[in-house]
Amino acid sequence: MHRIERDRTRFREIVRGRLRKDLRKYLSSTELLGRRGDKAVSIPIPQIELPRFRFGDNSKQGVGQGPGEEGEAVEGDAQEGEGAGSAGDQAGNHILEVDVDLKELAEMLGEELQLPNIEPRGDRQLSTEGGKYTGIRQTGPKSLRHFRRTYDRALRRVIASGEWDPRNPQVIPIHDDERIRNRKSVSKPESSAVIFHIMDVSGSMGREQKDVVRIKAFWIDTWLRSQYDNLEVVYIVHDAVARIVDQETFFHLRESGGTKISSAYELFLDQILEKYRAEEWNIYPFHYSDGDNWSARDTERCVGLLRDEILPRVNQFCYGQVKSAYGSGQFKKDLDGALGSMECLITAAVDDREGVPDAIRAFLGGGA
Amino acid sequence: MVRTEPLPPYLRQQNLEIEEIARSAGLDFFQVIFELLDARDVNALAAYTGFPVRYPSWRFGMEFERLDKGYSWGLSKIYELVINNDPTYAYLVRSNSPMEQKLVMAHVYGHADFFKNNIWFQPTERQMVSAMAANGTRVRRYIDTYGQEEVEKFLDMALALDDLIDPYMPLKEFRKSKGPRRKPVTPLERARISLDATIGVSQVEEASTEDEGGEIVATDLLGFLAKEADLAEWQRDILQIVRSEAYYFAPQRMTKIINEGWASFWHSRIMTRSLLGASDVVDFADCHSGATANQPGQLNPYKLGIELFRYAEEKGMDLFRLRAIHNDVSFIDAVVDEEFARRSNLFLYHRNSRTGRMEIADRDWRPIKAQLLTSLTGGGIPQIELVDANHDGRGELLLKHQFDGRELQLDQAGETLKQVSMIWKRPCHLLTQAEGCPLRLTTDGVTVSRVETEEEGEQEGEAADDRIAG
C-alpha cells in the first residue's frame, strides 16, 4: 500500500501548492464557508488534469437507449453521454474535494498575509476537565477496582492472619481490601480565547456586506483557532437591540431597523464580566457595521464604554466598517477621533470582498 | 505493495468448477490467477489501471483519492479487475457476496478468452506485468538522478500526448512480421527481444518509420517525437515508456463494448445455466441488472454489448468468430440492423438549440448506426495526424485534426499543442475547425494563437488573432 500512499501524498502536495497559489482567491470568496469541520476544511478544487486533445461539448448529437417519442427530452442528463465512445478512461471535469488540515490552512494564511503568531497575554490558565486514573482510594465504584492492588492487600491480610494454606491457596478479598482507582484531574496551562463576532444587521447592511463579514469571520476564526487550543466563538447581532445568536442565524439573519451600537457593546460587556472573564480568557471582539449609528449621543456612549470598560479587558478590539450604499461611515471617524491613540483598538474600512485580506491583516497583523 | 492473498478453499473450489464450465463451453484462455483483496486495495490497484508496479505519478494518487472517496461515500464500487497478461491476473474484492464472486469469476473468464483470442490483442505485450515493473524501475532511477520535479514535469508532458498513437498500427505490423519472423534461438536473444518489447522499440518504432520508404506514420505522433525530437536519452526513454503503455491499452479502448458484452454474455450464460443456486437467483438478478442497467439516455457498454451478442446468436452468427475478428466499430457495423435498433430501443438524440436540452431526434436505424460508428471510431478520441515535420522549411510541426463534425475543446487543444511544442522545441501548428470555420492553432510553447484560415492553413487569415497568455 505504501506505493499508492506516496503518489497520493505527492498529489496532495500539488493540491496544496495550488491552494497556496490561489489563496487570495479564496480569501475573497464565500466558497469555503460552511465547509469547515472541527479539524479540517474540505476545499473544492477543479480536478487537476493534463491537457488533452478532446472533443468539446458541442458535439451536437449522440446515441442513447430507452423509451420515448421523437422530440421528447432525453431523461437524465445526456450531456455527458456523448456517444458510447466517451465511456473511455477519461474522467469528466470533476470537482475534487480535498481535505486540508485547519492548522495547515491557517499556516498558509499566515504566510500569505505575513501574520505574526499571537502571544497569549498573561499567565492565564484553565484547568482542563480531563484527568488520569492514577490515584488510589478505598471507596468508589466497583468497576474501577484495581485488581492487583486489591489482591495484594487481601493476600497480605490472609498471610498476616495466619490463614494462608499453601495447599489451598485461596484468597478472598473483603471490603477493607478493596482498592479503587481514583481520577486525578490534571491542571495544565492552556491558553483559551473567545471571539465575539458582533454584526450590525440593521436595514442598511445588505447581502454583499454580510458576505464580506462572513468571509472575514471565517478567516479570522481559522487563524485564531490555529493559535489557541481552546477557542470559543460568540455571535452577537444588533440593530437597535442586541442579542446572542447561533452561527447559522448570524450569517443568514436579515433584519431591518435602526442602529444602536451601544446595545451590542453593553451585551458584550455583560458577557466578559460574567461568563468570559478577562482573567481567564483572551478576548477578541470583532465588530462589523456600516458605521451608520442612530445618534451622536449613542456614539458617545459607545466611546465611553470602550474606553472605560471594554478596552482594558480585551486583547484587541477590532472594528471593521463595511461600505454600504446607505451607510455614512461616520462611526469609524468618531472612533478614530476619540480613541485613535489606543493601541488595542483597530479600525479598518472594507470597501468590498477584495479588501478582506487587507482588513484581516490590519486586525491580526499586530500579534496582540 | 498491495496485499493480496490466494483464494480461500471454497472460492478455489468454485473457481475450478467455473473454469471447467467455461472451457467446455468453448472459451479458451491463458491460465487465470485469482487473488483476493480488500476494497481499499482494489481501489489502489485500479488507480494504477491494474498494475501495482507502475512508475510513480501524482495522477495515480489523484485517481486513488477519487475512487476511495467514491467508495467510502457509497457511490461506486469496483467488483473486479482483469489484467491482459499471460497468465491473466484477476482480482476479487473480499467484500463481494459469494454469489457476486461466482458472477465475477464467470465474467473474468469471458474477458480472459477475449484477451487471448481477439485479433486486436494479438500484438499486445503479454508479459505486461513485468514490463510495467521494468518501466517503473527506470522512471524511479531517472527521478533519483535528475530529480522528482524535472522527471515529473516531462512525464506529465508525455502523458498529455498518450492518445497520439496509431491504434491500428500494431496489428498491421504484427501481421507483417508474423510470417518471416524467425524464432529466437538462444536465451540471450530471447531476453533481448523481450527487453526490446518492454522498451517498445522493436516492433513498433522501427517498423513505423521504415516500411513506407522512410515516411512517418502520420498518427503515431508519440513515436515520431520519441525518434526525432531533440531530447536527452532519459526523456526519449520516458516517451517510449508512455508510448508502449499506450499501445498496450489501446485495444481495450477499441473493444470496450464487444469485450464487456462478451464477458457479460458468458457470466450470464454460465450463471443461469449451470451455477445458480435457488438462493442466489434474486441476488444474481439484482447484480446483473445493476451492471447492465441503462443510465437514462446513455449507452452502457455492458448492456449494448450483451444485447449485440444475444441478437447475433439469434441470427445464427458464429459468436466465437465475431469475438475473434472485431473491434467495437466493426462489430456494430456487422450486427446492428433495423430490427436490433428497434428492439434495443436505440435512438439518436441531439441538442435542441432553442431550449438547450437533449431531445430524442430520430428512431430510424440508419442515422443511429452511422452516429454510433462515428463516435466509436478511433476509440472515441479525436484523430490527430502529423502532416508536415518541416513546415515552411523551419522545422516546425504541422498537425491536422481529422474533422468529423465534432469540434475540439479549443483551449485544451491549445494547451496540449503546447506540450508537443515543448517536446519538439520549436513552434507547432494544428489545423482544425470551429463553428464551421477552418482554424489554425499555433504555439511556441508559451502562448497560443488562433487564426481563422480560409484554406487548410495555406493562408494566414486576417481575422481573429486572439493571443492567450500561457
Side-chain angles (χ1 to χ4, degrees):
Chain A
M1 272 316 282
H2 75 270
R3 192 165 272 159
I4 194 74
E5 286 306 334
R6 242 182 54 177
D7 285 337
R8 187 189 215 181
T9 307
R10 179 72 190 142
F11 164 65
R12 290 187 165 173
E13 269 171 37
I14 291 173
V15 168
R16 283 191 193 110
R18 297 236 164 165
L19 194 61
R20 197 157 287 179
K21 229 174 65 195
D22 293 343
L23 195 66
R24 285 265 160 183
K25 194 186 89 196
Y26 292 105
L27 278 178
S28 48
S29 91
T30 52
E31 224 172 317
L32 299 191
L33 309 181
R35 295 184 159 271
R36 189 173 59 195
D38 278 348
K39 294 242 160 58
V41 185
S42 124
I43 298 181
I45 56 160
Q47 186 158 7
I48 305 171
E49 273 184 288
L50 299 174
R52 275 172 191 287
F53 290 117
R54 61 166 75 103
F55 294 120
D57 62 353
N58 49 9
S59 43
K60 292 169 193 76
Q61 52 184 18
V63 176
Q65 205 171 1
E69 292 294 311
E70 284 174 26
E72 269 180 40
V74 177
E75 268 181 76
D77 192 10
Q79 270 155 327
E80 282 178 30
E82 42 183 73
S86 63
D89 56 353
Q90 289 162 15
N93 212 353
H94 295 295
I95 296 288
L96 215 60
E97 303 249 337
V98 181
D99 291 340
V100 178
D101 207 58
L102 262 187
K103 281 235 148 89
E104 217 178 323
L105 190 64
E107 198 180 288
M108 287 181 204
L109 176 73
E111 265 170 40
E112 176 71 25
L113 298 181
Q114 303 190 326
L115 300 177
N117 283 328
I118 290 175
E119 297 194 13
R121 71 173 185 192
D123 48 357
R124 295 171 183 182
Q125 288 190 2
L126 265 192
S127 66
T128 46
E129 292 293 306
K132 281 186 174 166
Y133 288 93
T134 49
I136 287 288
R137 56 179 176 161
Q138 292 185 26
T139 54
K142 290 273 193 291
S143 57
L144 290 174
R145 184 168 49 197
H146 194 304
F147 287 107
R148 192 174 52 77
R149 294 253 187 129
T150 303
Y151 176 77
D152 193 61
R153 300 294 306 181
L155 185 62
R156 276 196 227 179
R157 180 181 47 78
V158 170
I159 290 172
S161 64
E163 290 166 26
W164 173 253
D165 178 3
R167 277 163 303 172
N168 180 23
Q170 223 175 32
V171 177
I172 299 167
I174 58 171
H175 184 74
D176 280 353
D177 297 331
E178 287 192 334
R179 289 296 177 271
I180 311 289
R181 287 188 171 83
N182 186 23
R183 181 164 152 278
K184 286 211 165 146
S185 58
V186 182
S187 146
K188 73 170 185 194
E190 183 180 295
S191 49
S192 28
V194 57
I195 301 178
F196 285 86
H197 288 297
I198 306 167
M199 177 160 61
D200 177 357
V201 289
S202 63
S204 51
M205 290 284 286
R207 190 192 155 81
E208 178 63 23
Q209 280 74 28
K210 287 210 190 96
D211 271 351
V212 169
V213 172
R214 289 177 77 176
I215 297 167
K216 223 156 53 171
F218 173 86
W219 287 105
I220 288 168
D221 287 5
T222 302
W223 176 250
L224 290 176
R225 252 177 233 277
S226 76
Q227 300 284 318
Y228 290 101
D229 300 330
N230 182 10
L231 183 82
E232 291 200 15
V233 185
V234 180
Y235 298 94
I236 296 178
V237 294
H238 72 88
D239 44 18
V241 289
R243 58 197 168 105
I244 292 176
V245 296
D246 60 16
Q247 183 178 3
E248 183 66 17
T249 317
F250 180 80
F251 285 124
H252 294 102
L253 195 67
R254 160 112 213 185
E255 303 263 295
S256 57
T259 313
K260 210 169 131 201
I261 295 176
S262 65
S263 67
Y265 288 6
E266 275 162 8
L267 180 61
F268 165 64
L269 187 59
D270 277 355
Q271 289 285 309
I272 60 172
L273 287 177
E274 283 170 20
K275 192 163 174 200
Y276 301 98
R277 296 176 59 79
E279 293 76 34
E280 287 159 11
W281 296 84
N282 289 282
I283 303 172
Y284 293 90
F286 294 87
H287 178 212
Y288 316 92
S289 164
D290 57 359
D292 207 14
N293 205 4
W294 175 248
S295 67
R297 267 241 314 278
D298 191 64
T299 302
E300 242 168 66
R301 180 163 168 64
C302 290
V303 169
L305 276 173
L306 279 174
R307 186 179 47 220
D308 301 334
E309 304 283 347
I310 294 179
L311 292 183
R313 290 192 168 85
V314 301
N315 288 46
Q316 176 174 298
F317 190 97
C318 298
Y319 172 68
Q321 187 159 290
V322 190
K323 192 175 177 181
S324 85
Y326 314 101
S328 62
Q330 186 58 37
F331 194 69
K332 178 170 185 296
K333 284 180 214 155
D334 292 342
L335 281 189
D336 287 343
L339 300 168
S341 57
M342 307 282 283
E343 247 182 51
C344 56
L345 173 73
I346 293 180
T347 61
V350 192
D351 287 349
D352 52 23
R353 293 167 179 231
E354 309 305 315
V356 170
D358 288 335
I360 294 174
R361 184 155 40 200
F363 285 170
L364 302 175
Chain B
M1 249 303 286
V2 173
R3 243 185 350 258
T4 64
E5 54 181 69
L7 296 185
Y10 81 96
L11 282 178
R12 216 178 313 150
Q13 190 51 42
Q14 213 132 56
N15 176 30
L16 287 178
E17 202 182 325
I18 295 174
E19 182 179 353
E20 187 46 44
I21 297 170
R23 249 187 238 292
S24 59
L27 296 183
D28 163 38
F29 34 81
F30 300 121
Q31 187 197 353
V32 178
I33 298 177
F34 283 99
E35 288 179 73
L36 200 60
L37 300 163
D38 284 335
R40 233 181 106 80
D41 289 345
V42 110
N43 286 337
L45 208 53
Y48 285 122
T49 60
F51 294 88
V53 285
R54 295 191 73 174
Y55 50 77
S57 166
W58 57 270
R59 290 164 63 254
F60 302 133
M62 176 169 78
E63 185 59 17
F64 176 66
E65 185 99 23
R66 204 176 61 77
L67 290 171
D68 205 44
K69 282 239 163 94
Y71 177 77
S72 55
W73 291 341
L75 296 177
S76 62
K77 179 183 168 188
I78 295 171
Y79 281 100
E80 131 270 358
L81 267 177
V82 201
I83 314 299
N84 166 29
N85 194 74
D86 177 13
T88 302
Y89 288 99
Y91 300 96
L92 299 176
V93 189
R94 202 190 307 277
S95 59
N96 290 350
S97 73
M99 191 288 306
E100 286 169 335
Q101 304 291 30
K102 277 196 266 186
L103 186 151
V104 166
M105 286 193 280
H107 190 85
V108 163
Y109 280 106
H111 281 309
D113 167 85
F114 194 87
F115 286 146
K116 187 178 174 191
N117 294 289
N118 182 271
I119 184 137
W120 296 95
F121 284 88
Q122 297 316 307
T124 54
E125 172 62 55
R126 302 290 195 183
Q127 304 299 324
M128 202 54 185
V129 174
S130 32
M132 288 269 194
N135 293 347
T137 308
R138 290 215 304 287
V139 173
R140 260 181 275 275
R141 202 174 297 147
Y142 296 141
I143 288 176
D144 289 343
T145 315
Y146 303 100
Q148 163 116 28
E149 300 268 328
E150 185 83 5
V151 174
E152 188 176 70
K153 209 173 107 204
F154 191 82
L155 187 58
D156 285 350
M157 279 199 272
L159 286 169
L161 307 181
D162 72 355
D163 292 340
L164 303 179
I165 56 171
D166 177 1
Y168 303 102
M169 188 182 67
L171 186 55
K172 276 186 274 177
E173 298 313 322
F174 181 75
R175 280 181 171 158
K176 232 173 281 174
S177 65
K178 222 171 162 185
R181 192 177 204 173
R182 73 198 168 86
K183 283 225 160 103
V185 229
T186 68
L188 187 66
E189 207 169 337
R190 240 192 342 255
R192 197 188 68 82
I193 285 171
S194 92
L195 185 65
D196 283 351
T198 320
I199 308 170
V201 243
S202 65
Q203 319 98 323
V204 257
E205 189 213 349
E206 285 165 12
S208 68
T209 40
E210 276 160 24
D211 62 331
E212 280 153 64
E215 217 168 274
I216 306 144
V217 171
T219 43
D220 185 25
L221 190 68
L222 213 47
F224 170 79
L225 288 174
K227 194 170 158 65
E228 301 293 336
D230 175 24
L231 295 170
E233 276 317 303
W234 67 269
Q235 294 175 320
R236 205 177 296 288
D237 191 30
I238 283 185
L239 277 187
Q240 293 287 12
I241 287 172
V242 168
R243 178 168 173 264
S244 66
E245 295 187 3
Y247 271 112
Y248 168 81
F249 287 115
Q252 300 189 17
R253 181 179 291 170
M254 296 164 74
T255 57
K256 187 97 188 149
I257 295 171
I258 185 173
N259 195 348
E260 289 304 349
W262 183 248
S264 302
F265 178 85
W266 282 105
H267 84 227
S268 165
R269 174 138 310 177
I270 290 174
M271 290 299 279
T272 51
R273 295 222 172 142
S274 320
L275 272 183
L276 216 48
S279 61
D280 292 334
V281 172
V282 173
D283 274 354
F284 168 76
D286 185 42
C287 183
H288 175 78
S289 59
T292 58
N294 244 348
Q295 295 278 62
Q298 293 184 26
L299 282 187
N300 175 343
Y302 294 78
K303 177 173 162 67
L304 184 61
I306 195 174
E307 285 176 358
L308 283 164
F309 273 111
R310 284 183 177 157
Y311 184 72
E313 186 182 39
E314 210 177 292
K315 295 285 157 191
M317 296 164 110
D318 179 352
L319 301 191
F320 285 90
R321 190 176 145 74
L322 287 175
R323 74 91 161 77
I325 62 172
H326 284 300
N327 59 26
D328 284 345
V329 174
S330 59
F331 184 46
I332 284 172
D333 195 30
V335 179
V336 172
D337 60 12
E338 185 167 11
E339 191 183 346
F340 179 81
R342 183 169 45 74
R343 274 211 238 160
S344 286
N345 258 332
L346 294 180
F347 60 78
L348 189 73
Y349 64 80
H350 68 175
R351 193 189 296 280
N352 183 326
S353 51
R354 200 168 42 80
T355 59
R357 59 173 197 174
M358 290 298 190
E359 287 180 358
I360 298 177
D362 208 338
R363 289 263 181 201
D364 184 35
W365 70 282
R366 276 165 302 229
I368 290 173
K369 184 170 175 178
Q371 173 63 33
L372 261 181
L373 295 179
T374 315
S375 66
L376 291 169
T377 301
I381 48 181
Q383 300 301 294
I384 310 282
E385 286 184 0
L386 177 62
V387 182
D388 189 356
N390 188 17
H391 185 55
D392 278 353
R394 287 188 296 230
E396 302 176 0
L397 294 186
L398 181 65
L399 310 181
K400 186 173 175 199
H401 166 219
Q402 289 300 337
F403 190 72
D404 58 5
R406 288 176 293 172
E407 294 174 2
L408 293 181
Q409 216 170 302
L410 282 183
D411 42 353
Q412 282 277 326
E415 283 303 304
T416 317
L417 194 62
K418 259 200 229 169
Q419 316 297 312
V420 179
S421 168
M422 281 191 276
I423 292 174
W424 184 240
K425 299 199 174 85
R426 286 199 192 85
C428 294
H429 312 270
L430 174 71
L431 303 175
T432 181
Q433 282 187 35
E435 288 161 14
C437 298
L439 186 75
R440 189 171 75 176
L441 300 182
T442 294
T443 179
D444 55 2
V446 184
T447 59
V448 183
S449 63
R450 298 177 192 172
V451 181
E452 281 182 27
T453 54
E454 282 167 20
E455 289 297 321
E456 302 275 286
E458 291 305 313
Q459 280 166 297
E460 304 272 344
E462 67 279 47
D465 183 2
D466 43 334
R467 295 191 86 83
I468 304 154

